[in-house]
Amino acid sequence: MITMTLFNPGTSWIHRILFNYKLIYSTIRIGSKHDVANVRNLQCCSNADSPLGSPQSPHSISIESFVVAELLSTERTYVAELESLVEHYVEPFHSPDLQQGVALPIRGRSDLVFGNLRELLHFHSRFLLPELLANENSSAGICRVFIQHANSNEIYDSRFLSLYHAYCQNKAASDAIRKEFCEMSSFFADCQRRAGHPLPLGAYLLKPVQRITKYQLLLRELERHCRPEVRPEVAAALSTMLELLAQINAAIHQLHISGFNGDLRLLGPLRLQSECDVYQFSRKKKGKTSRAQRRHLFMFDGGILFCKKRNPPNQPSSLDPEYYEHKMCIPMSSLGFSELSRSGGPRFELWDEAKSDAYAIETVDVEQRQRWIQRLSRIAPREEQLIRQRPKSWASTISNDSTCSSSTRSSDSEV
């Protein structure tokens, strides 16, 4: 995941929030009358309709408000960092007077190093930051801003997705080019000196990846400490940003799927992927399910691929990049889905309406299962249709996974 490989989030920021909150709350409780009066004066000067707290309540300065303040403060800092990169690196990159300092293979091609950094700055400085600041007194309003820009609609695609997908997808190539042509360049050393950056360029080019992952951390903390009446909107924003991260992560994940008879690009965007145990059985016959087979499932807009993770032969598996051997595909146009499984337990079922076999799917954890159920529920038939499609014998069928003999297991077909 992005949050694991590219950004290792610390907790110092929330520790600072909690520490400041304790200091302020202590001041309100045990401070002098003059201090308490100052706090009350500040409250009275604030908007009486502010949803972050009532002027009459000493709890108006809450952890919720500190999380919001942290979000706005770090957003301002992020925009300032983007502005500094564009001003001191990107613009000089195209200056005719400075071209001699740029390596010939990348001369005039700032996009090779900086990707769509200008577009990111335009979005955050002209749209996201002003809209967040306009809702600084409303946690719900801030959440609506995230939902608006993260969701696609008939007018425009998700701004977050389109911008950060492009930036993250270019990141690996950008790093390679930067290491080859920029690290020992006097031009980039001069840019760093003029910008006053204490860290090398690579640290600042990582900022967009860090920022897109930090939103969900801030929203998660906001969900923990917000008032009950705004929690549904905070939860919706958090879910939206987590799904956005999953889509970006899937887009930059180097998928190597072999054996697929067709063009994977025609299946559309990759929406979800996870490793699962798959149990095969016949929809038309009452009988045993097969033994569990570990498969990696990829959900595209056009279908669900069942793949087996492989490693190159004759190589240490821990050192080689994984790839996936395609086993089968269920097109979305003929996908059947049930949230419950004939074999019981936490499994759900998938099948191709054009075929007789079905598959009980067991994810590695409950959270993964919920993601699949939520995504499948948007595209699969409604529950009453599923009940009509389900054979009557399912109600009385009990899984025989645990009683399968070794000879039966060895004869099971492979998904």
Side-chain angles (χ1 to χ4, degrees), residues 13-62:
W13 65 272
I14 191 60
H15 289 162
R16 185 169 68 253
I17 290 172
L18 294 172
F19 179 71
N20 289 340
Y21 172 72
K22 290 177 181 178
L23 285 179
I24 292 175
Y25 188 65
S26 298
T27 300
I28 293 174
R29 293 190 61 188
I30 64 176
S32 66
K33 293 181 180 179
H34 177 72
D35 292 333
V36 174
N38 285 341
V39 171
R40 287 175 178 167
N41 288 337
L42 286 173
Q43 292 173 347
C44 292
C45 292
S46 64
N47 186 351
D49 296 327
S50 170
L52 291 182
S54 167
Q56 289 77 28
S57 171
H59 298 284
S60 60
I61 303 178
S62 64

Short mmCIF file of all heavy atoms in Angstrom, two decimals, residues 13-62:
data_model
loop_
_atom_site.label_atom_id
_atom_site.label_comp_id
_atom_site.label_asym_id
_atom_site.label_seq_id
_atom_site.Cartn_x
_atom_site.Cartn_y
_atom_site.Cartn_z
N TRP A 13 2.01 14.53 15.43
CA TRP A 13 1.07 15.64 15.26
C TRP A 13 -0.13 15.50 16.17
O TRP A 13 -0.58 16.46 16.77
CB TRP A 13 0.62 15.73 13.80
CG TRP A 13 -0.15 14.55 13.32
CD1 TRP A 13 0.33 13.41 12.78
CD2 TRP A 13 -1.58 14.41 13.34
NE1 TRP A 13 -0.69 12.56 12.47
CE2 TRP A 13 -1.87 13.14 12.80
CE3 TRP A 13 -2.63 15.22 13.77
CZ2 TRP A 13 -3.15 12.67 12.67
CZ3 TRP A 13 -3.92 14.75 13.64
CH2 TRP A 13 -4.17 13.49 13.09
N ILE A 14 -0.65 14.28 16.33
CA ILE A 14 -1.81 14.13 17.21
C ILE A 14 -1.38 14.21 18.67
O ILE A 14 -2.12 14.69 19.52
CB ILE A 14 -2.56 12.82 16.92
CG1 ILE A 14 -3.90 12.81 17.67
CG2 ILE A 14 -1.74 11.61 17.30
CD1 ILE A 14 -4.83 13.93 17.30
N HIS A 15 -0.15 13.76 18.97
CA HIS A 15 0.35 13.94 20.33
C HIS A 15 0.43 15.42 20.67
O HIS A 15 0.11 15.84 21.78
CB HIS A 15 1.74 13.30 20.48
CG HIS A 15 1.70 11.81 20.45
ND1 HIS A 15 2.80 11.03 20.21
CD2 HIS A 15 0.67 10.94 20.62
CE1 HIS A 15 2.46 9.75 20.25
NE2 HIS A 15 1.18 9.68 20.49
N ARG A 16 0.85 16.22 19.69
CA ARG A 16 0.93 17.66 19.91
C ARG A 16 -0.45 18.25 20.13
O ARG A 16 -0.66 19.11 20.98
CB ARG A 16 1.60 18.32 18.71
CG ARG A 16 1.85 19.81 18.89
CD ARG A 16 2.75 20.36 17.81
NE ARG A 16 2.12 20.35 16.51
CZ ARG A 16 2.43 19.51 15.54
NH1 ARG A 16 3.35 18.59 15.73
NH2 ARG A 16 1.83 19.56 14.37
N ILE A 17 -1.43 17.76 19.36
CA ILE A 17 -2.80 18.23 19.52
C ILE A 17 -3.31 17.92 20.92
O ILE A 17 -3.87 18.77 21.61
CB ILE A 17 -3.72 17.57 18.47
CG1 ILE A 17 -3.39 18.12 17.09
CG2 ILE A 17 -5.19 17.79 18.79
CD1 ILE A 17 -4.10 17.39 15.98
N LEU A 18 -3.12 16.67 21.35
CA LEU A 18 -3.60 16.28 22.67
C LEU A 18 -2.90 17.06 23.77
O LEU A 18 -3.52 17.47 24.75
CB LEU A 18 -3.38 14.77 22.87
CG LEU A 18 -4.20 13.87 21.95
CD1 LEU A 18 -3.75 12.42 22.10
CD2 LEU A 18 -5.68 13.99 22.27
N PHE A 19 -1.59 17.29 23.60
CA PHE A 19 -0.84 18.04 24.60
C PHE A 19 -1.35 19.47 24.70
O PHE A 19 -1.58 19.99 25.79
CB PHE A 19 0.65 18.03 24.24
CG PHE A 19 1.50 18.80 25.21
CD1 PHE A 19 1.72 18.31 26.49
CD2 PHE A 19 2.09 20.00 24.84
CE1 PHE A 19 2.51 19.02 27.38
CE2 PHE A 19 2.87 20.70 25.73
CZ PHE A 19 3.09 20.21 27.01
N ASN A 20 -1.57 20.11 23.55
CA ASN A 20 -2.08 21.48 23.56
C ASN A 20 -3.48 21.55 24.15
O ASN A 20 -3.83 22.49 24.86
CB ASN A 20 -2.11 22.03 22.12
CG ASN A 20 -0.71 22.30 21.60
OD1 ASN A 20 0.21 22.43 22.38
ND2 ASN A 20 -0.57 22.36 20.29
N TYR A 21 -4.28 20.53 23.83
CA TYR A 21 -5.64 20.49 24.38
C TYR A 21 -5.60 20.43 25.90
O TYR A 21 -6.34 21.13 26.59
CB TYR A 21 -6.39 19.29 23.82
CG TYR A 21 -7.73 19.07 24.47
CD1 TYR A 21 -8.80 19.92 24.20
CD2 TYR A 21 -7.93 18.02 25.35
CE1 TYR A 21 -10.03 19.72 24.81
CE2 TYR A 21 -9.15 17.81 25.95
CZ TYR A 21 -10.20 18.66 25.68
OH TYR A 21 -11.41 18.47 26.27
N LYS A 22 -4.70 19.59 26.44
CA LYS A 22 -4.60 19.48 27.90
C LYS A 22 -4.16 20.79 28.52
O LYS A 22 -4.65 21.20 29.57
CB LYS A 22 -3.62 18.36 28.26
CG LYS A 22 -4.15 16.96 27.94
CD LYS A 22 -3.11 15.90 28.25
CE LYS A 22 -3.63 14.51 27.91
NZ LYS A 22 -2.61 13.46 28.15
N LEU A 23 -3.22 21.48 27.86
CA LEU A 23 -2.75 22.76 28.39
C LEU A 23 -3.88 23.78 28.43
O LEU A 23 -4.08 24.47 29.43
CB LEU A 23 -1.60 23.30 27.54
CG LEU A 23 -0.23 22.62 27.72
CD1 LEU A 23 0.77 23.27 26.78
CD2 LEU A 23 0.24 22.75 29.16
N ILE A 24 -4.64 23.86 27.35
CA ILE A 24 -5.72 24.84 27.28
C ILE A 24 -6.82 24.50 28.29
O ILE A 24 -7.34 25.36 28.99
CB ILE A 24 -6.29 24.91 25.85
CG1 ILE A 24 -5.24 25.51 24.93
CG2 ILE A 24 -7.57 25.72 25.80
CD1 ILE A 24 -5.63 25.51 23.48
N TYR A 25 -7.15 23.21 28.36
CA TYR A 25 -8.20 22.81 29.29
C TYR A 25 -7.77 23.07 30.73
O TYR A 25 -8.57 23.50 31.57
CB TYR A 25 -8.54 21.34 29.10
CG TYR A 25 -9.75 20.89 29.88
CD1 TYR A 25 -11.01 21.41 29.59
CD2 TYR A 25 -9.62 19.97 30.92
CE1 TYR A 25 -12.12 21.01 30.32
CE2 TYR A 25 -10.73 19.56 31.64
CZ TYR A 25 -11.97 20.08 31.35
OH TYR A 25 -13.07 19.69 32.06
N SER A 26 -6.47 22.85 31.03
CA SER A 26 -5.97 23.13 32.37
C SER A 26 -6.04 24.62 32.66
O SER A 26 -6.37 25.03 33.78
CB SER A 26 -4.52 22.63 32.51
OG SER A 26 -4.46 21.24 32.33
N THR A 27 -5.73 25.45 31.66
CA THR A 27 -5.80 26.90 31.85
C THR A 27 -7.22 27.35 32.16
O THR A 27 -7.46 28.18 33.03
CB THR A 27 -5.30 27.62 30.58
OG1 THR A 27 -3.96 27.23 30.34
CG2 THR A 27 -5.37 29.13 30.76
N ILE A 28 -8.18 26.73 31.46
CA ILE A 28 -9.58 27.10 31.70
C ILE A 28 -10.00 26.71 33.12
O ILE A 28 -10.72 27.44 33.79
CB ILE A 28 -10.49 26.41 30.67
CG1 ILE A 28 -10.19 26.97 29.28
CG2 ILE A 28 -11.95 26.59 31.00
CD1 ILE A 28 -10.93 26.26 28.18
N ARG A 29 -9.50 25.56 33.58
CA ARG A 29 -9.95 25.06 34.88
C ARG A 29 -9.23 25.73 36.05
O ARG A 29 -9.86 26.07 37.04
CB ARG A 29 -9.73 23.54 34.95
CG ARG A 29 -10.62 22.77 34.00
CD ARG A 29 -10.54 21.29 34.28
NE ARG A 29 -11.00 21.00 35.65
CZ ARG A 29 -10.89 19.81 36.23
NH1 ARG A 29 -10.31 18.82 35.59
NH2 ARG A 29 -11.33 19.61 37.46
N ILE A 30 -7.89 25.90 35.95
CA ILE A 30 -7.16 26.35 37.13
C ILE A 30 -6.46 27.68 36.92
O ILE A 30 -5.76 28.16 37.80
CB ILE A 30 -6.11 25.29 37.55
CG1 ILE A 30 -5.05 25.12 36.45
CG2 ILE A 30 -6.77 23.96 37.85
CD1 ILE A 30 -3.93 24.17 36.84
N GLY A 31 -6.66 28.29 35.75
CA GLY A 31 -6.01 29.57 35.49
C GLY A 31 -6.66 30.68 36.29
O GLY A 31 -7.67 30.51 36.98
N SER A 32 -6.07 31.84 36.20
CA SER A 32 -6.60 32.99 36.93
C SER A 32 -7.92 33.43 36.31
O SER A 32 -8.27 33.05 35.21
CB SER A 32 -5.60 34.15 36.85
OG SER A 32 -5.49 34.60 35.52
N LYS A 33 -8.65 34.26 37.05
CA LYS A 33 -9.91 34.78 36.53
C LYS A 33 -9.68 35.57 35.26
O LYS A 33 -10.51 35.58 34.36
CB LYS A 33 -10.58 35.65 37.59
CG LYS A 33 -11.04 34.88 38.82
CD LYS A 33 -11.72 35.80 39.80
CE LYS A 33 -12.20 35.03 41.04
NZ LYS A 33 -12.85 35.93 42.02
N HIS A 34 -8.53 36.25 35.19
CA HIS A 34 -8.22 37.03 34.00
C HIS A 34 -8.08 36.12 32.78
O HIS A 34 -8.58 36.43 31.70
CB HIS A 34 -6.93 37.81 34.24
CG HIS A 34 -6.48 38.60 33.04
ND1 HIS A 34 -7.14 39.73 32.60
CD2 HIS A 34 -5.44 38.39 32.18
CE1 HIS A 34 -6.53 40.20 31.54
NE2 HIS A 34 -5.49 39.40 31.26
N ASP A 35 -7.41 34.97 32.96
CA ASP A 35 -7.23 34.03 31.86
C ASP A 35 -8.57 33.47 31.41
O ASP A 35 -8.84 33.33 30.21
CB ASP A 35 -6.31 32.88 32.28
CG ASP A 35 -4.89 33.35 32.51
OD1 ASP A 35 -4.51 34.34 31.87
OD2 ASP A 35 -4.17 32.72 33.31
N VAL A 36 -9.41 33.12 32.40
CA VAL A 36 -10.71 32.57 32.05
C VAL A 36 -11.54 33.61 31.30
O VAL A 36 -12.23 33.30 30.32
CB VAL A 36 -11.45 32.11 33.33
CG1 VAL A 36 -12.86 31.67 32.99
CG2 VAL A 36 -10.68 30.97 33.99
N ALA A 37 -11.45 34.86 31.73
CA ALA A 37 -12.18 35.92 31.04
C ALA A 37 -11.71 36.07 29.61
O ALA A 37 -12.51 36.29 28.70
CB ALA A 37 -12.01 37.24 31.80
N ASN A 38 -10.39 35.95 29.40
CA ASN A 38 -9.86 36.05 28.04
C ASN A 38 -10.40 34.94 27.15
O ASN A 38 -10.74 35.17 25.99
CB ASN A 38 -8.33 35.98 28.07
CG ASN A 38 -7.72 37.28 28.56
OD1 ASN A 38 -8.38 38.32 28.55
ND2 ASN A 38 -6.47 37.22 29.00
N VAL A 39 -10.46 33.72 27.70
CA VAL A 39 -11.00 32.60 26.93
C VAL A 39 -12.45 32.87 26.57
O VAL A 39 -12.88 32.65 25.44
CB VAL A 39 -10.86 31.29 27.73
CG1 VAL A 39 -11.61 30.17 27.02
CG2 VAL A 39 -9.39 30.92 27.89
N ARG A 40 -13.22 33.37 27.55
CA ARG A 40 -14.63 33.64 27.28
C ARG A 40 -14.79 34.75 26.25
O ARG A 40 -15.69 34.71 25.41
CB ARG A 40 -15.33 34.02 28.58
CG ARG A 40 -15.52 32.82 29.51
CD ARG A 40 -16.09 33.22 30.84
NE ARG A 40 -16.31 32.07 31.69
CZ ARG A 40 -16.58 32.15 32.99
NH1 ARG A 40 -16.66 33.34 33.58
NH2 ARG A 40 -16.77 31.05 33.70
N ASN A 41 -13.91 35.76 26.31
CA ASN A 41 -13.97 36.83 25.33
C ASN A 41 -13.70 36.30 23.93
O ASN A 41 -14.35 36.69 22.96
CB ASN A 41 -12.95 37.92 25.67
CG ASN A 41 -13.37 38.73 26.89
OD1 ASN A 41 -14.56 38.78 27.22
ND2 ASN A 41 -12.41 39.35 27.56
N LEU A 42 -12.72 35.39 23.82
CA LEU A 42 -12.43 34.79 22.52
C LEU A 42 -13.64 34.01 22.01
O LEU A 42 -13.97 34.04 20.83
CB LEU A 42 -11.22 33.85 22.63
CG LEU A 42 -9.86 34.54 22.76
CD1 LEU A 42 -8.78 33.50 23.04
CD2 LEU A 42 -9.53 35.33 21.50
N GLN A 43 -14.31 33.30 22.93
CA GLN A 43 -15.48 32.52 22.53
C GLN A 43 -16.60 33.44 22.05
O GLN A 43 -17.28 33.15 21.08
CB GLN A 43 -15.95 31.67 23.70
CG GLN A 43 -14.97 30.55 24.06
CD GLN A 43 -15.38 29.84 25.34
OE1 GLN A 43 -16.23 30.32 26.07
NE2 GLN A 43 -14.76 28.71 25.60
N CYS A 44 -16.78 34.55 22.76
CA CYS A 44 -17.86 35.47 22.38
C CYS A 44 -17.59 36.14 21.05
O CYS A 44 -18.51 36.50 20.34
CB CYS A 44 -18.04 36.53 23.47
SG CYS A 44 -18.68 35.86 25.03
N CYS A 45 -16.29 36.32 20.73
CA CYS A 45 -15.94 36.95 19.46
C CYS A 45 -16.09 35.99 18.29
O CYS A 45 -16.10 36.41 17.15
CB CYS A 45 -14.49 37.45 19.50
SG CYS A 45 -14.27 38.85 20.63
N SER A 46 -16.17 34.68 18.59
CA SER A 46 -16.31 33.70 17.52
C SER A 46 -17.74 33.67 17.03
O SER A 46 -18.65 34.20 17.66
CB SER A 46 -15.89 32.31 18.00
OG SER A 46 -16.77 31.87 19.01
N ASN A 47 -17.95 33.02 15.91
CA ASN A 47 -19.28 32.90 15.33
C ASN A 47 -20.18 32.11 16.26
O ASN A 47 -19.89 30.97 16.60
CB ASN A 47 -19.18 32.21 13.97
CG ASN A 47 -20.51 32.18 13.25
OD1 ASN A 47 -21.54 32.53 13.81
ND2 ASN A 47 -20.46 31.78 11.99
N ALA A 48 -21.29 32.69 16.67
CA ALA A 48 -22.19 32.01 17.61
C ALA A 48 -22.79 30.76 17.01
O ALA A 48 -23.22 29.87 17.72
CB ALA A 48 -23.30 32.97 18.04
N ASP A 49 -22.84 30.69 15.68
CA ASP A 49 -23.42 29.52 15.02
C ASP A 49 -22.37 28.48 14.68
O ASP A 49 -22.65 27.52 13.98
CB ASP A 49 -24.12 29.95 13.72
CG ASP A 49 -25.30 30.87 14.01
OD1 ASP A 49 -25.93 30.68 15.06
OD2 ASP A 49 -25.56 31.77 13.19
N SER A 50 -21.14 28.68 15.14
CA SER A 50 -20.07 27.74 14.80
C SER A 50 -20.41 26.35 15.30
O SER A 50 -20.69 26.15 16.47
CB SER A 50 -18.75 28.19 15.43
OG SER A 50 -17.78 27.18 15.29
N PRO A 51 -20.40 25.34 14.41
CA PRO A 51 -20.74 23.99 14.82
C PRO A 51 -19.64 23.31 15.61
O PRO A 51 -19.82 22.21 16.09
CB PRO A 51 -20.97 23.27 13.49
CG PRO A 51 -20.13 24.00 12.52
CD PRO A 51 -20.12 25.43 12.98
N LEU A 52 -18.46 23.94 15.71
CA LEU A 52 -17.37 23.30 16.44
C LEU A 52 -17.50 23.51 17.94
O LEU A 52 -16.73 22.99 18.71
CB LEU A 52 -16.03 23.85 15.96
CG LEU A 52 -15.64 23.47 14.55
CD1 LEU A 52 -14.27 24.03 14.21
CD2 LEU A 52 -15.65 21.97 14.37
N GLY A 53 -18.45 24.27 18.39
CA GLY A 53 -18.63 24.42 19.83
C GLY A 53 -19.51 25.59 20.15
O GLY A 53 -19.62 26.55 19.40
N SER A 54 -20.15 25.54 21.28
CA SER A 54 -21.02 26.63 21.70
C SER A 54 -20.22 27.65 22.49
O SER A 54 -19.36 27.30 23.29
CB SER A 54 -22.13 26.06 22.58
OG SER A 54 -22.81 27.10 23.24
N PRO A 55 -20.47 28.97 22.28
CA PRO A 55 -19.75 30.00 23.03
C PRO A 55 -19.96 29.87 24.53
O PRO A 55 -19.15 30.33 25.31
CB PRO A 55 -20.33 31.30 22.49
CG PRO A 55 -20.95 30.96 21.20
CD PRO A 55 -21.39 29.55 21.30
N GLN A 56 -21.08 29.27 24.93
CA GLN A 56 -21.35 29.15 26.35
C GLN A 56 -20.63 27.97 26.99
O GLN A 56 -20.63 27.82 28.20
CB GLN A 56 -22.87 28.99 26.58
CG GLN A 56 -23.67 30.25 26.31
CD GLN A 56 -23.88 30.50 24.84
OE1 GLN A 56 -23.90 29.57 24.05
NE2 GLN A 56 -24.02 31.76 24.46
N SER A 57 -20.02 27.11 26.18
CA SER A 57 -19.42 25.89 26.72
C SER A 57 -17.91 26.01 26.80
O SER A 57 -17.27 26.41 25.83
CB SER A 57 -19.80 24.69 25.84
OG SER A 57 -19.05 23.56 26.22
N PRO A 58 -17.30 25.65 27.96
CA PRO A 58 -15.83 25.67 28.05
C PRO A 58 -15.19 24.59 27.21
O PRO A 58 -13.97 24.57 27.04
CB PRO A 58 -15.58 25.41 29.55
CG PRO A 58 -16.79 24.66 30.01
CD PRO A 58 -17.93 25.22 29.22
N HIS A 59 -16.00 23.68 26.68
CA HIS A 59 -15.46 22.61 25.85
C HIS A 59 -15.44 22.97 24.37
O HIS A 59 -15.20 22.12 23.52
CB HIS A 59 -16.28 21.33 26.04
CG HIS A 59 -16.25 20.81 27.44
ND1 HIS A 59 -15.17 20.16 27.97
CD2 HIS A 59 -17.16 20.90 28.44
CE1 HIS A 59 -15.42 19.83 29.24
NE2 HIS A 59 -16.62 20.28 29.54
N SER A 60 -15.73 24.25 24.05
CA SER A 60 -15.77 24.64 22.64
C SER A 60 -14.42 24.48 21.97
O SER A 60 -14.32 24.28 20.77
CB SER A 60 -16.27 26.09 22.51
OG SER A 60 -15.39 26.96 23.19
N ILE A 61 -13.33 24.66 22.78
CA ILE A 61 -12.00 24.37 22.26
C ILE A 61 -11.78 22.89 22.46
O ILE A 61 -11.41 22.44 23.53
CB ILE A 61 -10.93 25.20 22.98
CG1 ILE A 61 -11.25 26.69 22.86
CG2 ILE A 61 -9.55 24.92 22.40
CD1 ILE A 61 -10.27 27.58 23.59
N SER A 62 -12.01 22.09 21.46
CA SER A 62 -12.02 20.64 21.59
C SER A 62 -10.96 20.01 20.72
O SER A 62 -10.33 20.66 19.88
CB SER A 62 -13.39 20.10 21.19
OG SER A 62 -13.62 20.38 19.82
#
